[in-house]
Amino acid sequence: MNLGDGKTIGRPTNFCDTIAKKIIDACRSGFTMEKAGELVGLEPSTIQGWVSKRPAFGLEIKKARKEHEISLLRSI
């Protein structure tokens, strides 16, 4: 929560490009967001929060999941 004076209340985020990439890569391999979170040691609610606050991250996850679906269809 922003207090209007540049300070926020709450826990600092663990979000970083390295962790985001690991989650996206795991989703591209077929992991759910929940399982990808377990892989990097995060609760599903944390990842859901990141998706809500960072739309570009959410789009990358959706894209990765679709890429996995396409790879499964091509393997048939």
Side-chain angles (χ1 to χ4, degrees):
M1 175 177 15
N2 191 331
L3 299 176
D5 59 2
K7 296 180 182 177
T8 58
I9 295 176
R11 194 178 311 181
T13 183
N14 291 331
F15 186 88
C16 70
D17 289 341
T18 303
I19 293 174
K21 184 177 178 344
K22 286 180 183 179
I23 293 167
I24 292 164
D25 288 345
C27 288
R28 188 174 289 114
S29 296
F31 282 51
T32 61
M33 280 195 300
E34 291 79 14
K35 292 295 181 184
E38 288 178 20
L39 180 70
V40 296
L42 295 172
E43 294 292 326
S45 60
T46 299
I47 296 175
Q48 286 292 1
W50 290 358
V51 167
S52 296
K53 293 175 184 172
R54 295 172 172 83
F57 174 66
L59 289 174
E60 286 297 318
I61 288 179
K62 283 183 181 179
K63 180 181 171 187
R65 298 284 299 146
K66 293 295 180 188
E67 289 172 2
H68 175 68
E69 290 175 25
I70 288 170
S71 72
L72 292 175
L73 289 171
R74 286 184 179 149
S75 68
I76 295 176

